[in-house]
């Protein structure tokens, strides 16, 4: 079931076309992630969907509801993670949650939210004493207070250490178990790959591609990178490199000292040939690995830009 449909969204700020033409739909219960380089238009897109910025053109539908006619109903359906600055530093997490709860007719009890975002232990500490990760968890909690169906998280893990990031991943996965729909932006590819049912890559205000992480990777190529290091040193690697010159499934090789990198369309076949060769020549292989393609490779292939965390 589609819970959100966005059609041909456009937004300019003066001469800057922040969003040129963005369309997608989001299914109930999925984690839908928008990724893209800096300035690609992710936040502007999210803010238009959240009703904070009005589009120049295009349509946003939450089922039968749209912002022009049904703003009150949409606000009940969605939860937006507030900026850290929206929290009250001199109040505790529980007090912040109760305060936000007072804005709604039907709010979820603060106790339940504290459990979901794993802050029960810290419920009575002042917010200013919380770590960056705990503050972000509270921000997610504040987005959940009205018990929304759709939750918007704009870069919830930026600047956090790996453990704090993982704690947030656990919360997002738990929300999925609860049947919530999450719309996420992130700068971390690993995060997008681990959490998302579908990933939408945007660049220069346009959707470049959209699919599940595994389908995006499959679409890219069947090719894999094999690495082989020889105990016998550089000469063995050179010899193996020459041996592969005629191999049909090998598109490229690179050598660094005693290590040979091989790009092969049928890596199993190439490895079998290589092992036969090394046995015949009595070369000793120190290490073999096959690097699987990741979402980062998809990003680079589609945008032509290097990824940076
Ligand atoms: P980042 O990953 O850096 O957060 P983003 O993909 O979220 O980037 P946006 O913040 O949506 O990108 O910005 C898209 C473009 O629109 C950028 O060039 C940005 O400078 C510009 N922009 C965004 N908001 C405004 C504004 N209020 N006034 C002027 N320009 C803006």
């Amino acid at each position: 079931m589609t819970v959100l449909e966005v059609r041909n969204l456009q937004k300019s700020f003066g001469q800057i076309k922040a969003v040129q033409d963005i369309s997608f739909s989001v299914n109930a219960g999925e984690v839908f992630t928008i990724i893209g380089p800096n300035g690609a238009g992710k936040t502007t897109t999210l803010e238009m969907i959240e009703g904070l910025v009005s589009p120049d053109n295009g349509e946003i539908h939450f089922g039968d509801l749209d912002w022009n006619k049904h703003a009150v109903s949409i606000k009940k359906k969605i939860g937006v993670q507030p900026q850290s600055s929206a929290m009250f530093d001199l109040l505790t997490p529980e007090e912040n949650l109760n305060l936000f709860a007072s804005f709604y007719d039907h709010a979820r009890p603060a106790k339940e939210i504290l459990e979901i975002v794993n802050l029960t232990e810290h419920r009575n500490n002042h917010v200013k004493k919380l770590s960056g990760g705990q503050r972000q968890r509270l921000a997610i909690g504040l987005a959940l207070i009205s018990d929304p169906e759709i939750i918007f998280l704009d870069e919830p893990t930026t600047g956090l250490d790996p453990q704090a990031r993982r704690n947030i991943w656990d919360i997002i996965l738990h929300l999925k178990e609860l049947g919530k729909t999450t719309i996420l932006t992130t700068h971390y590819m690993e995060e997008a790959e681990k959490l998302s049912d579908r990933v939408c890559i945007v660049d220069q205000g346009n959707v470049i591609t959209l699919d599940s992480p595994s389908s995006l990777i499959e679409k890219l190529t069947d090719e894999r990178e094999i690495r082989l290091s020889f105990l016998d040193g550089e000469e063995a690697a050179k010899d193996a490199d020459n041996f592969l010159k005629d191999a049909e499934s090998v598109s490229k090789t690179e050598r660094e000292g005693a290590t040979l990198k091989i790009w092969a369309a049928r890596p199993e076949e190439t490895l079998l040939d290589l092992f036969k060769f090394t046995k015949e020549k009595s070369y000793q292989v120190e290490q073999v690995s096959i690097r699987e393609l990741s979402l980062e490779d998809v990003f680079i292939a589609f945008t032509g830009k290097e990824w940076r965390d």
Side-chain angles (χ1 to χ4, degrees):
M1 190 183 67
T2 301
V3 289
L4 168 67
E5 185 163 11
V6 167
R7 262 187 249 142
N8 306 114
L9 272 192
Q10 293 180 353
K11 181 75 190 176
S12 294
F13 298 103
Q15 296 297 309
I16 300 169
K17 287 189 173 170
V19 173
Q20 299 216 28
D21 185 5
I22 291 208
S23 302
F24 56 75
S25 54
V26 177
N27 301 321
E30 73 174 340
V31 177
F32 183 91
T33 305
I34 304 176
I35 59 175
N38 275 330
K42 303 180 292 290
T43 300
T44 307
T45 301
L46 232 52
E47 288 181 347
M48 287 192 278
I49 300 170
E50 293 162 1
L52 301 172
V53 167
S54 52
D56 296 339
N57 273 305
E59 293 171 36
I60 298 163
H61 297 282
F62 291 88
D64 298 335
L65 310 176
D66 72 64
W67 279 110
N68 296 329
K69 291 184 226 129
H70 314 100
V72 175
S73 305
I74 294 175
K75 281 183 189 159
K76 283 185 187 159
K77 260 182 183 288
I78 69 170
V80 178
Q81 167 205 351
Q83 298 284 327
S84 225
S85 56
M87 295 177 211
F88 293 91
D89 272 1
L90 295 174
L91 298 182
T92 66
E94 190 163 20
E95 287 164 343
N96 269 282
L97 286 164
N98 283 329
L99 180 68
F100 273 64
S102 69
F103 306 150
Y104 298 93
D105 296 337
H106 301 286
R108 227 173 147 156
K111 188 169 174 288
E112 277 179 34
I113 304 287
L114 287 165
E115 270 169 35
I116 294 176
V117 297
N118 200 12
L119 280 177
T120 305
E121 208 185 306
H122 303 282
R123 68 186 181 284
N124 294 321
N125 298 343
H126 281 162
V127 166
K128 68 173 183 184
K129 294 264 163 73
L130 299 181
S131 68
Q134 290 160 352
R135 288 175 75 93
Q136 280 297 58
R137 295 201 320 259
L138 177 58
I140 297 174
L142 294 169
L144 299 177
I145 197 75
S146 62
D147 201 17
E149 285 169 37
I150 307 171
I151 298 139
F152 291 90
L153 305 177
D154 195 1
E155 296 186 21
T157 62
T158 294
L160 301 184
D161 63 57
Q163 184 55 49
R165 232 186 274 167
R166 286 207 171 82
N167 291 340
I168 297 216
W169 297 358
D170 288 343
I171 295 170
I172 295 170
L173 293 173
H174 184 200
L175 292 176
K176 188 174 158 65
E177 280 169 22
L178 295 175
K180 306 288 183 193
T181 306
T182 302
I183 300 175
L184 181 73
T185 68
T186 181
H187 275 160
Y188 301 109
M189 281 292 164
E190 190 196 356
E191 180 166 307
E193 197 168 332
K194 285 235 158 66
L195 298 178
S196 319
D197 292 289
R198 289 187 306 143
V199 173
C200 174
I201 300 183
V202 298
D203 193 15
Q204 296 177 353
N206 291 291
V207 174
I208 304 297
T209 186
L210 192 175
D211 214 327
S212 66
S214 58
S215 303
L216 286 174
I217 292 166
E218 272 167 32
K219 264 185 215 166
L220 202 60
T221 169
D222 293 334
E223 208 167 82
R224 295 289 178 273
E225 181 190 322
I226 305 170
R227 277 184 194 214
L228 203 68
S229 310
F230 291 90
L231 279 174
D232 315 84
E234 205 175 330
E235 281 309 309
K238 255 190 208 165
D239 205 5
D241 198 1
N242 277 331
F243 166 73
L244 289 174
K245 285 274 180 291
D246 302 324
E248 210 184 283
S249 93
V250 174
S251 64
K252 187 173 93 166
T253 60
E254 262 176 29
R255 214 161 22 82
E256 269 172 43
T259 299
L260 184 61
K261 289 196 218 166
I262 304 143
W263 282 264
R266 293 185 296 280
E268 296 82 4
E269 197 180 288
T270 304
L271 272 175
L272 260 167
D273 290 348
L274 270 169
F275 284 132
K276 263 192 222 154
F277 166 81
T278 52
K279 199 169 170 208
E280 270 168 28
K281 296 275 186 160
S282 304
Y283 288 137
Q284 291 188 69
V285 173
E286 188 183 21
Q287 223 178 17
V288 185
S289 63
I290 300 184
R291 191 173 80 83
E292 290 298 321
L293 291 171
S294 69
L295 201 53
E296 187 167 340
D297 298 295
V298 174
F299 180 86
I300 294 167
F302 277 96
T303 65
K305 292 176 181 139
E306 284 293 324
W307 185 250
R308 46 102 203 84
D309 265 3

